[in-house]
mmCIF file of all heavy atoms in Angstrom:
data_model
loop_
_atom_site.group_PDB
_atom_site.id
_atom_site.type_symbol
_atom_site.label_atom_id
_atom_site.label_comp_id
_atom_site.label_asym_id
_atom_site.label_seq_id
_atom_site.Cartn_x
_atom_site.Cartn_y
_atom_site.Cartn_z
ATOM 1 N N MET A 1 -4.370 8.812 -19.810
ATOM 2 C CA MET A 1 -3.880 8.516 -21.158
ATOM 3 C C MET A 1 -4.533 7.281 -21.779
ATOM 4 O O MET A 1 -4.633 7.183 -22.994
ATOM 5 C CB MET A 1 -2.346 8.338 -21.133
ATOM 6 C CG MET A 1 -1.608 9.630 -20.860
ATOM 7 S SD MET A 1 0.118 9.370 -20.426
ATOM 8 C CE MET A 1 0.898 9.431 -22.008
ATOM 9 N N VAL A 2 -4.962 6.336 -20.947
ATOM 10 C CA VAL A 2 -5.526 5.092 -21.495
ATOM 11 C C VAL A 2 -7.046 5.152 -21.667
ATOM 12 O O VAL A 2 -7.644 4.199 -22.157
ATOM 13 C CB VAL A 2 -5.172 3.858 -20.630
ATOM 14 C CG1 VAL A 2 -3.671 3.699 -20.511
ATOM 15 C CG2 VAL A 2 -5.816 3.924 -19.249
ATOM 16 N N LYS A 3 -7.640 6.263 -21.275
ATOM 17 C CA LYS A 3 -9.102 6.350 -21.397
ATOM 18 C C LYS A 3 -9.516 6.139 -22.846
ATOM 19 O O LYS A 3 -9.004 6.794 -23.755
ATOM 20 C CB LYS A 3 -9.606 7.706 -20.889
ATOM 21 C CG LYS A 3 -9.718 7.745 -19.367
ATOM 22 C CD LYS A 3 -10.306 9.047 -18.862
ATOM 23 C CE LYS A 3 -10.474 8.996 -17.339
ATOM 24 N NZ LYS A 3 -10.842 10.304 -16.790
ATOM 25 N N GLY A 4 -10.431 5.192 -23.064
ATOM 26 C CA GLY A 4 -10.903 4.898 -24.413
ATOM 27 C C GLY A 4 -9.955 4.039 -25.224
ATOM 28 O O GLY A 4 -10.171 3.821 -26.416
ATOM 29 N N ASN A 5 -8.881 3.558 -24.605
ATOM 30 C CA ASN A 5 -7.930 2.710 -25.339
ATOM 31 C C ASN A 5 -7.546 1.491 -24.506
ATOM 32 O O ASN A 5 -6.543 1.503 -23.793
ATOM 33 C CB ASN A 5 -6.677 3.504 -25.720
ATOM 34 C CG ASN A 5 -5.704 2.666 -26.557
ATOM 35 O OD1 ASN A 5 -6.026 1.553 -26.986
ATOM 36 N ND2 ASN A 5 -4.516 3.190 -26.785
ATOM 37 N N PRO A 6 -8.326 0.405 -24.603
ATOM 38 C CA PRO A 6 -8.025 -0.803 -23.824
ATOM 39 C C PRO A 6 -6.760 -1.510 -24.294
ATOM 40 O O PRO A 6 -6.245 -2.389 -23.607
ATOM 41 C CB PRO A 6 -9.254 -1.684 -24.062
ATOM 42 C CG PRO A 6 -9.802 -1.229 -25.381
ATOM 43 C CD PRO A 6 -9.524 0.248 -25.439
ATOM 44 N N HIS A 7 -6.226 -1.101 -25.474
ATOM 45 C CA HIS A 7 -5.051 -1.789 -26.031
ATOM 46 C C HIS A 7 -3.734 -1.170 -25.569
ATOM 47 O O HIS A 7 -2.675 -1.763 -25.786
ATOM 48 C CB HIS A 7 -5.102 -1.747 -27.566
ATOM 49 C CG HIS A 7 -6.351 -2.344 -28.146
ATOM 50 N ND1 HIS A 7 -6.612 -3.699 -28.108
ATOM 51 C CD2 HIS A 7 -7.418 -1.761 -28.752
ATOM 52 C CE1 HIS A 7 -7.786 -3.928 -28.685
ATOM 53 N NE2 HIS A 7 -8.295 -2.779 -29.078
ATOM 54 N N SER A 8 -3.759 0.007 -24.953
ATOM 55 C CA SER A 8 -2.517 0.699 -24.604
ATOM 56 C C SER A 8 -1.589 -0.183 -23.770
ATOM 57 O O SER A 8 -2.018 -0.873 -22.839
ATOM 58 C CB SER A 8 -2.814 1.976 -23.812
ATOM 59 O OG SER A 8 -1.604 2.525 -23.300
ATOM 60 N N PHE A 9 -0.284 -0.121 -24.114
ATOM 61 C CA PHE A 9 0.692 -0.928 -23.385
ATOM 62 C C PHE A 9 0.894 -0.431 -21.954
ATOM 63 O O PHE A 9 1.525 -1.119 -21.142
ATOM 64 C CB PHE A 9 2.034 -0.948 -24.128
ATOM 65 C CG PHE A 9 2.896 -2.113 -23.730
ATOM 66 C CD1 PHE A 9 2.551 -3.408 -24.079
ATOM 67 C CD2 PHE A 9 4.051 -1.921 -22.991
ATOM 68 C CE1 PHE A 9 3.336 -4.493 -23.696
ATOM 69 C CE2 PHE A 9 4.841 -2.994 -22.607
ATOM 70 C CZ PHE A 9 4.478 -4.289 -22.964
ATOM 71 N N LEU A 10 0.344 0.738 -21.633
ATOM 72 C CA LEU A 10 0.418 1.200 -20.241
ATOM 73 C C LEU A 10 -0.337 0.251 -19.310
ATOM 74 O O LEU A 10 -0.076 0.229 -18.104
ATOM 75 C CB LEU A 10 -0.145 2.616 -20.125
ATOM 76 C CG LEU A 10 0.706 3.720 -20.779
ATOM 77 C CD1 LEU A 10 0.023 5.070 -20.655
ATOM 78 C CD2 LEU A 10 2.102 3.773 -20.151
ATOM 79 N N HIS A 11 -1.256 -0.554 -19.851
ATOM 80 C CA HIS A 11 -1.938 -1.564 -19.027
ATOM 81 C C HIS A 11 -0.944 -2.630 -18.541
ATOM 82 O O HIS A 11 -1.225 -3.343 -17.572
ATOM 83 C CB HIS A 11 -3.076 -2.225 -19.816
ATOM 84 C CG HIS A 11 -4.231 -1.307 -20.077
ATOM 85 N ND1 HIS A 11 -5.127 -0.924 -19.091
ATOM 86 C CD2 HIS A 11 -4.627 -0.671 -21.209
ATOM 87 C CE1 HIS A 11 -6.025 -0.101 -19.609
ATOM 88 N NE2 HIS A 11 -5.739 0.078 -20.894
ATOM 89 N N VAL A 12 0.216 -2.712 -19.223
ATOM 90 C CA VAL A 12 1.283 -3.627 -18.785
ATOM 91 C C VAL A 12 2.343 -2.853 -18.004
ATOM 92 O O VAL A 12 2.707 -3.212 -16.891
ATOM 93 C CB VAL A 12 1.928 -4.345 -19.995
ATOM 94 C CG1 VAL A 12 3.114 -5.214 -19.544
ATOM 95 C CG2 VAL A 12 0.887 -5.205 -20.724
ATOM 96 N N ASP A 13 2.842 -1.771 -18.600
ATOM 97 C CA ASP A 13 3.957 -1.030 -17.994
ATOM 98 C C ASP A 13 3.549 -0.192 -16.787
ATOM 99 O O ASP A 13 4.391 0.171 -15.969
ATOM 100 C CB ASP A 13 4.608 -0.129 -19.049
ATOM 101 C CG ASP A 13 5.843 -0.766 -19.658
ATOM 102 O OD1 ASP A 13 6.185 -1.895 -19.271
ATOM 103 O OD2 ASP A 13 6.471 -0.132 -20.530
ATOM 104 N N ARG A 14 2.255 0.124 -16.702
ATOM 105 C CA ARG A 14 1.724 0.893 -15.557
ATOM 106 C C ARG A 14 0.459 0.188 -15.066
ATOM 107 O O ARG A 14 -0.612 0.787 -14.990
ATOM 108 C CB ARG A 14 1.387 2.324 -16.008
ATOM 109 C CG ARG A 14 2.575 3.260 -16.030
ATOM 110 C CD ARG A 14 2.826 3.775 -14.629
ATOM 111 N NE ARG A 14 3.859 4.798 -14.560
ATOM 112 C CZ ARG A 14 4.231 5.358 -13.426
ATOM 113 N NH1 ARG A 14 3.658 5.013 -12.293
ATOM 114 N NH2 ARG A 14 5.174 6.249 -13.403
ATOM 115 N N ALA A 15 0.610 -1.087 -14.715
ATOM 116 C CA ALA A 15 -0.558 -1.933 -14.447
ATOM 117 C C ALA A 15 -1.391 -1.467 -13.254
ATOM 118 O O ALA A 15 -2.555 -1.866 -13.111
ATOM 119 C CB ALA A 15 -0.117 -3.389 -14.235
ATOM 120 N N GLU A 16 -0.845 -0.584 -12.417
ATOM 121 C CA GLU A 16 -1.629 -0.083 -11.277
ATOM 122 C C GLU A 16 -2.871 0.672 -11.745
ATOM 123 O O GLU A 16 -3.814 0.842 -10.970
ATOM 124 C CB GLU A 16 -0.764 0.804 -10.370
ATOM 125 C CG GLU A 16 -0.416 2.169 -10.922
ATOM 126 C CD GLU A 16 0.881 2.208 -11.713
ATOM 127 O OE1 GLU A 16 1.370 1.116 -12.102
ATOM 128 O OE2 GLU A 16 1.406 3.311 -11.955
ATOM 129 N N ILE A 17 -2.886 1.110 -13.016
ATOM 130 C CA ILE A 17 -4.045 1.857 -13.525
ATOM 131 C C ILE A 17 -5.294 0.979 -13.602
ATOM 132 O O ILE A 17 -6.412 1.496 -13.699
ATOM 133 C CB ILE A 17 -3.767 2.493 -14.911
ATOM 134 C CG1 ILE A 17 -3.494 1.418 -15.970
ATOM 135 C CG2 ILE A 17 -2.634 3.500 -14.822
ATOM 136 C CD1 ILE A 17 -3.269 1.951 -17.377
ATOM 137 N N ASP A 18 -5.106 -0.346 -13.560
ATOM 138 C CA ASP A 18 -6.249 -1.270 -13.598
ATOM 139 C C ASP A 18 -6.609 -1.794 -12.208
ATOM 140 O O ASP A 18 -7.379 -2.743 -12.083
ATOM 141 C CB ASP A 18 -5.938 -2.448 -14.540
ATOM 142 C CG ASP A 18 -5.837 -2.004 -15.986
ATOM 143 O OD1 ASP A 18 -6.552 -1.058 -16.354
ATOM 144 O OD2 ASP A 18 -5.037 -2.581 -16.738
ATOM 145 N N LEU A 19 -6.026 -1.178 -11.194
ATOM 146 C CA LEU A 19 -6.305 -1.564 -9.808
ATOM 147 C C LEU A 19 -6.833 -0.351 -9.052
ATOM 148 O O LEU A 19 -6.770 0.784 -9.538
ATOM 149 C CB LEU A 19 -5.030 -2.086 -9.141
ATOM 150 C CG LEU A 19 -4.401 -3.343 -9.764
ATOM 151 C CD1 LEU A 19 -3.033 -3.600 -9.154
ATOM 152 C CD2 LEU A 19 -5.297 -4.567 -9.571
ATOM 153 N N ASP A 20 -7.319 -0.584 -7.854
ATOM 154 C CA ASP A 20 -7.809 0.509 -7.023
ATOM 155 C C ASP A 20 -6.665 1.493 -6.746
ATOM 156 O O ASP A 20 -5.547 1.074 -6.403
ATOM 157 C CB ASP A 20 -8.339 -0.062 -5.693
ATOM 158 C CG ASP A 20 -9.080 0.993 -4.884
ATOM 159 O OD1 ASP A 20 -8.407 1.893 -4.329
ATOM 160 O OD2 ASP A 20 -10.320 0.931 -4.835
ATOM 161 N N PRO A 21 -6.919 2.806 -6.900
ATOM 162 C CA PRO A 21 -5.852 3.801 -6.682
ATOM 163 C C PRO A 21 -5.221 3.760 -5.295
ATOM 164 O O PRO A 21 -4.121 4.270 -5.094
ATOM 165 C CB PRO A 21 -6.576 5.148 -6.890
ATOM 166 C CG PRO A 21 -7.763 4.817 -7.741
ATOM 167 C CD PRO A 21 -8.172 3.423 -7.366
ATOM 168 N N SER A 22 -5.902 3.132 -4.334
ATOM 169 C CA SER A 22 -5.345 3.063 -2.974
ATOM 170 C C SER A 22 -4.200 2.047 -2.879
ATOM 171 O O SER A 22 -3.441 2.051 -1.912
ATOM 172 C CB SER A 22 -6.442 2.681 -1.972
ATOM 173 O OG SER A 22 -6.919 1.376 -2.251
ATOM 174 N N ILE A 23 -4.076 1.166 -3.882
ATOM 175 C CA ILE A 23 -3.017 0.135 -3.850
ATOM 176 C C ILE A 23 -1.675 0.773 -4.197
ATOM 177 O O ILE A 23 -1.554 1.512 -5.181
ATOM 178 C CB ILE A 23 -3.349 -1.015 -4.824
ATOM 179 C CG1 ILE A 23 -4.573 -1.790 -4.303
ATOM 180 C CG2 ILE A 23 -2.167 -1.969 -4.986
ATOM 181 C CD1 ILE A 23 -5.115 -2.833 -5.249
ATOM 182 N N ASP A 24 -0.673 0.504 -3.383
ATOM 183 C CA ASP A 24 0.660 1.060 -3.600
ATOM 184 C C ASP A 24 1.214 0.593 -4.951
ATOM 185 O O ASP A 24 1.035 -0.568 -5.332
ATOM 186 C CB ASP A 24 1.599 0.610 -2.479
ATOM 187 C CG ASP A 24 2.959 1.276 -2.578
ATOM 188 O OD1 ASP A 24 3.117 2.390 -2.061
ATOM 189 O OD2 ASP A 24 3.862 0.680 -3.206
ATOM 190 N N VAL A 25 1.901 1.502 -5.671
ATOM 191 C CA VAL A 25 2.382 1.165 -7.022
ATOM 192 C C VAL A 25 3.447 0.060 -7.002
ATOM 193 O O VAL A 25 3.737 -0.541 -8.035
ATOM 194 C CB VAL A 25 2.944 2.404 -7.755
ATOM 195 C CG1 VAL A 25 1.844 3.390 -8.046
ATOM 196 C CG2 VAL A 25 4.090 3.043 -6.996
ATOM 197 N N HIS A 26 4.029 -0.209 -5.819
ATOM 198 C CA HIS A 26 5.035 -1.272 -5.725
ATOM 199 C C HIS A 26 4.477 -2.543 -5.078
ATOM 200 O O HIS A 26 5.232 -3.460 -4.753
ATOM 201 C CB HIS A 26 6.255 -0.775 -4.944
ATOM 202 C CG HIS A 26 6.924 0.410 -5.578
ATOM 203 N ND1 HIS A 26 7.222 1.566 -4.898
ATOM 204 C CD2 HIS A 26 7.325 0.619 -6.853
ATOM 205 C CE1 HIS A 26 7.787 2.435 -5.716
ATOM 206 N NE2 HIS A 26 7.848 1.885 -6.909
ATOM 207 N N ASP A 27 3.179 -2.587 -4.916
ATOM 208 C CA ASP A 27 2.535 -3.778 -4.347
ATOM 209 C C ASP A 27 2.662 -4.945 -5.320
ATOM 210 O O ASP A 27 2.619 -4.774 -6.544
ATOM 211 C CB ASP A 27 1.049 -3.468 -4.080
ATOM 212 C CG ASP A 27 0.387 -4.533 -3.221
ATOM 213 O OD1 ASP A 27 0.146 -5.646 -3.733
ATOM 214 O OD2 ASP A 27 0.093 -4.241 -2.042
ATOM 215 N N LYS A 28 2.791 -6.135 -4.762
ATOM 216 C CA LYS A 28 2.893 -7.361 -5.564
ATOM 217 C C LYS A 28 1.740 -7.481 -6.569
ATOM 218 O O LYS A 28 1.906 -7.987 -7.693
ATOM 219 C CB LYS A 28 2.886 -8.558 -4.588
ATOM 220 C CG LYS A 28 3.012 -9.920 -5.224
ATOM 221 C CD LYS A 28 2.947 -11.007 -4.151
ATOM 222 C CE LYS A 28 2.904 -12.388 -4.798
ATOM 223 N NZ LYS A 28 2.712 -13.456 -3.780
ATOM 224 N N LYS A 29 0.570 -6.980 -6.173
ATOM 225 C CA LYS A 29 -0.611 -7.077 -7.049
ATOM 226 C C LYS A 29 -0.404 -6.341 -8.366
ATOM 227 O O LYS A 29 -0.960 -6.716 -9.398
ATOM 228 C CB LYS A 29 -1.841 -6.491 -6.330
ATOM 229 C CG LYS A 29 -2.346 -7.320 -5.170
ATOM 230 C CD LYS A 29 -3.455 -6.581 -4.428
ATOM 231 C CE LYS A 29 -3.862 -7.361 -3.168
ATOM 232 N NZ LYS A 29 -4.707 -6.547 -2.291
ATOM 233 N N VAL A 30 0.395 -5.267 -8.342
ATOM 234 C CA VAL A 30 0.647 -4.488 -9.560
ATOM 235 C C VAL A 30 1.437 -5.325 -10.563
ATOM 236 O O VAL A 30 1.114 -5.360 -11.757
ATOM 237 C CB VAL A 30 1.401 -3.175 -9.230
ATOM 238 C CG1 VAL A 30 1.774 -2.424 -10.511
ATOM 239 C CG2 VAL A 30 0.557 -2.301 -8.323
ATOM 240 N N TYR A 31 2.456 -6.034 -10.076
ATOM 241 C CA TYR A 31 3.285 -6.847 -10.970
ATOM 242 C C TYR A 31 2.500 -8.065 -11.474
ATOM 243 O O TYR A 31 2.655 -8.462 -12.639
ATOM 244 C CB TYR A 31 4.575 -7.261 -10.255
ATOM 245 C CG TYR A 31 5.311 -6.065 -9.680
ATOM 246 C CD1 TYR A 31 5.437 -5.894 -8.297
ATOM 247 C CD2 TYR A 31 5.827 -5.082 -10.510
ATOM 248 C CE1 TYR A 31 6.079 -4.782 -7.767
ATOM 249 C CE2 TYR A 31 6.472 -3.961 -9.993
ATOM 250 C CZ TYR A 31 6.591 -3.813 -8.623
ATOM 251 O OH TYR A 31 7.219 -2.697 -8.107
ATOM 252 N N GLU A 32 1.673 -8.615 -10.613
ATOM 253 C CA GLU A 32 0.818 -9.733 -11.043
ATOM 254 C C GLU A 32 -0.163 -9.272 -12.120
ATOM 255 O O GLU A 32 -0.426 -10.000 -13.086
ATOM 256 C CB GLU A 32 0.053 -10.316 -9.843
ATOM 257 C CG GLU A 32 0.946 -11.077 -8.885
ATOM 258 C CD GLU A 32 0.239 -11.484 -7.591
ATOM 259 O OE1 GLU A 32 -0.806 -10.882 -7.244
ATOM 260 O OE2 GLU A 32 0.759 -12.405 -6.921
ATOM 261 N N LYS A 33 -0.672 -8.054 -11.956
ATOM 262 C CA LYS A 33 -1.610 -7.502 -12.945
ATOM 263 C C LYS A 33 -0.904 -7.248 -14.272
ATOM 264 O O LYS A 33 -1.475 -7.485 -15.350
ATOM 265 C CB LYS A 33 -2.219 -6.201 -12.410
ATOM 266 C CG LYS A 33 -3.392 -5.676 -13.238
ATOM 267 C CD LYS A 33 -4.582 -6.624 -13.153
ATOM 268 C CE LYS A 33 -5.779 -6.143 -13.924
ATOM 269 N NZ LYS A 33 -6.874 -7.128 -13.958
ATOM 270 N N ALA A 34 0.333 -6.793 -14.207
ATOM 271 C CA ALA A 34 1.118 -6.573 -15.432
ATOM 272 C C ALA A 34 1.269 -7.877 -16.202
ATOM 273 O O ALA A 34 1.059 -7.935 -17.420
ATOM 274 C CB ALA A 34 2.489 -5.998 -15.079
ATOM 275 N N ARG A 35 1.639 -8.941 -15.477
ATOM 276 C CA ARG A 35 1.789 -10.261 -16.123
ATOM 277 C C ARG A 35 0.468 -10.725 -16.720
ATOM 278 O O ARG A 35 0.409 -11.181 -17.860
ATOM 279 C CB ARG A 35 2.293 -11.277 -15.090
ATOM 280 C CG ARG A 35 2.427 -12.702 -15.653
ATOM 281 C CD ARG A 35 3.055 -13.624 -14.624
ATOM 282 N NE ARG A 35 2.268 -13.684 -13.406
ATOM 283 C CZ ARG A 35 2.765 -14.035 -12.211
ATOM 284 N NH1 ARG A 35 4.048 -14.338 -12.097
ATOM 285 N NH2 ARG A 35 1.991 -14.073 -11.143
ATOM 286 N N GLU A 36 -0.600 -10.580 -15.941
ATOM 287 C CA GLU A 36 -1.928 -11.003 -16.406
ATOM 288 C C GLU A 36 -2.332 -10.242 -17.672
ATOM 289 O O GLU A 36 -2.825 -10.838 -18.646
ATOM 290 C CB GLU A 36 -2.947 -10.738 -15.281
ATOM 291 C CG GLU A 36 -4.384 -11.093 -15.623
ATOM 292 C CD GLU A 36 -5.368 -10.497 -14.603
ATOM 293 O OE1 GLU A 36 -5.068 -10.527 -13.382
ATOM 294 O OE2 GLU A 36 -6.419 -10.000 -15.035
ATOM 295 N N ASN A 37 -2.111 -8.920 -17.672
ATOM 296 C CA ASN A 37 -2.493 -8.104 -18.826
ATOM 297 C C ASN A 37 -1.674 -8.455 -20.062
ATOM 298 O O ASN A 37 -2.204 -8.501 -21.179
ATOM 299 C CB ASN A 37 -2.351 -6.616 -18.505
ATOM 300 C CG ASN A 37 -3.449 -6.112 -17.580
ATOM 301 O OD1 ASN A 37 -4.431 -6.803 -17.341
ATOM 302 N ND2 ASN A 37 -3.278 -4.908 -17.055
ATOM 303 N N LEU A 38 -0.371 -8.702 -19.858
ATOM 304 C CA LEU A 38 0.485 -9.076 -20.990
ATOM 305 C C LEU A 38 0.044 -10.419 -21.569
ATOM 306 O O LEU A 38 -0.097 -10.562 -22.796
ATOM 307 C CB LEU A 38 1.953 -9.138 -20.547
ATOM 308 C CG LEU A 38 2.964 -9.565 -21.619
ATOM 309 C CD1 LEU A 38 2.927 -8.624 -22.827
ATOM 310 C CD2 LEU A 38 4.373 -9.628 -21.039
ATOM 311 N N GLU A 39 -0.191 -11.398 -20.686
ATOM 312 C CA GLU A 39 -0.622 -12.728 -21.159
ATOM 313 C C GLU A 39 -1.959 -12.639 -21.889
ATOM 314 O O GLU A 39 -2.173 -13.317 -22.901
ATOM 315 C CB GLU A 39 -0.707 -13.699 -19.973
ATOM 316 C CG GLU A 39 0.673 -14.112 -19.458
ATOM 317 C CD GLU A 39 0.616 -14.925 -18.166
ATOM 318 O OE1 GLU A 39 -0.499 -15.071 -17.594
ATOM 319 O OE2 GLU A 39 1.688 -15.401 -17.734
ATOM 320 N N LYS A 40 -2.840 -11.778 -21.380
ATOM 321 C CA LYS A 40 -4.159 -11.622 -22.004
ATOM 322 C C LYS A 40 -4.019 -11.032 -23.415
ATOM 323 O O LYS A 40 -4.689 -11.460 -24.353
ATOM 324 C CB LYS A 40 -5.030 -10.703 -21.136
ATOM 325 C CG LYS A 40 -6.538 -10.808 -21.468
ATOM 326 C CD LYS A 40 -7.348 -9.696 -20.803
ATOM 327 C CE LYS A 40 -7.207 -9.711 -19.282
ATOM 328 N NZ LYS A 40 -7.915 -8.571 -18.649
ATOM 329 N N MET A 41 -3.134 -10.038 -23.572
ATOM 330 C CA MET A 41 -2.936 -9.420 -24.885
ATOM 331 C C MET A 41 -2.391 -10.439 -25.894
ATOM 332 O O MET A 41 -2.771 -10.431 -27.068
ATOM 333 C CB MET A 41 -1.977 -8.226 -24.767
ATOM 334 C CG MET A 41 -2.567 -7.051 -24.016
ATOM 335 S SD MET A 41 -1.370 -5.720 -23.731
ATOM 336 C CE MET A 41 -1.585 -4.723 -25.212
ATOM 337 N N ILE A 42 -1.511 -11.317 -25.416
ATOM 338 C CA ILE A 42 -0.952 -12.348 -26.303
ATOM 339 C C ILE A 42 -2.028 -13.378 -26.646
ATOM 340 O O ILE A 42 -2.198 -13.759 -27.815
ATOM 341 C CB ILE A 42 0.294 -13.000 -25.652
ATOM 342 C CG1 ILE A 42 1.427 -11.961 -25.534
ATOM 343 C CG2 ILE A 42 0.760 -14.210 -26.464
ATOM 344 C CD1 ILE A 42 2.600 -12.389 -24.676
ATOM 345 N N GLU A 43 -2.776 -13.814 -25.628
ATOM 346 C CA GLU A 43 -3.859 -14.794 -25.855
ATOM 347 C C GLU A 43 -4.933 -14.242 -26.792
ATOM 348 O O GLU A 43 -5.486 -14.974 -27.619
ATOM 349 C CB GLU A 43 -4.519 -15.180 -24.520
ATOM 350 C CG GLU A 43 -3.713 -16.167 -23.696
ATOM 351 C CD GLU A 43 -4.214 -16.245 -22.252
ATOM 352 O OE1 GLU A 43 -5.377 -15.861 -21.996
ATOM 353 O OE2 GLU A 43 -3.424 -16.679 -21.394
ATOM 354 N N ASN A 44 -5.219 -12.953 -26.662
ATOM 355 C CA ASN A 44 -6.244 -12.321 -27.510
ATOM 356 C C ASN A 44 -5.752 -12.027 -28.921
ATOM 357 O O ASN A 44 -6.449 -11.385 -29.716
ATOM 358 C CB ASN A 44 -6.730 -11.006 -26.880
ATOM 359 C CG ASN A 44 -7.535 -11.235 -25.618
ATOM 360 O OD1 ASN A 44 -7.959 -12.353 -25.334
ATOM 361 N ND2 ASN A 44 -7.755 -10.175 -24.853
ATOM 362 N N GLU A 45 -4.537 -12.463 -29.191
ATOM 363 C CA GLU A 45 -3.919 -12.305 -30.514
ATOM 364 C C GLU A 45 -3.769 -10.838 -30.919
ATOM 365 O O GLU A 45 -3.827 -10.495 -32.099
ATOM 366 C CB GLU A 45 -4.683 -13.110 -31.577
ATOM 367 C CG GLU A 45 -4.650 -14.602 -31.275
ATOM 368 C CD GLU A 45 -5.330 -15.457 -32.334
ATOM 369 O OE1 GLU A 45 -6.024 -14.907 -33.203
ATOM 370 O OE2 GLU A 45 -5.153 -16.684 -32.279
ATOM 371 N N GLU A 46 -3.577 -9.987 -29.915
ATOM 372 C CA GLU A 46 -3.187 -8.608 -30.206
ATOM 373 C C GLU A 46 -1.710 -8.585 -30.597
ATOM 374 O O GLU A 46 -1.233 -7.630 -31.196
ATOM 375 C CB GLU A 46 -3.423 -7.717 -28.988
ATOM 376 C CG GLU A 46 -4.901 -7.562 -28.625
ATOM 377 C CD GLU A 46 -5.109 -6.818 -27.321
ATOM 378 O OE1 GLU A 46 -4.537 -5.713 -27.178
ATOM 379 O OE2 GLU A 46 -5.839 -7.323 -26.446
#
């Protein structure tokens, strides 16, 4: 769903899509990525 759309909020709500598919969806890295993506969207003035 996010192909061709770097702005989609799924990059926050489904942050595992920006990580290797082998990483478990409940891994700490997924939540850290969600925070990082949200902060980046705010910093980028989206």
Side-chain angles (χ1 to χ4, degrees):
M1 291 166 90
V2 302
K3 279 184 177 171
N5 183 9
H7 303 290
S8 171
F9 201 69
L10 290 178
H11 290 287
V12 176
D13 263 0
R14 277 278 186 181
E16 73 269 16
I17 63 177
D18 293 328
L19 298 170
D20 190 287
S22 64
I23 292 173
D24 186 86
V25 293
H26 300 129
D27 192 287
K28 181 182 173 185
K29 290 173 186 168
V30 175
Y31 307 113
E32 289 172 340
K33 191 66 179 174
R35 178 174 59 203
E36 178 194 319
N37 286 349
L38 178 59
E39 287 172 354
K40 197 192 301 176
M41 291 174 89
I42 294 169
E43 282 165 21
N44 291 346
E45 298 183 348
E46 294 173 52

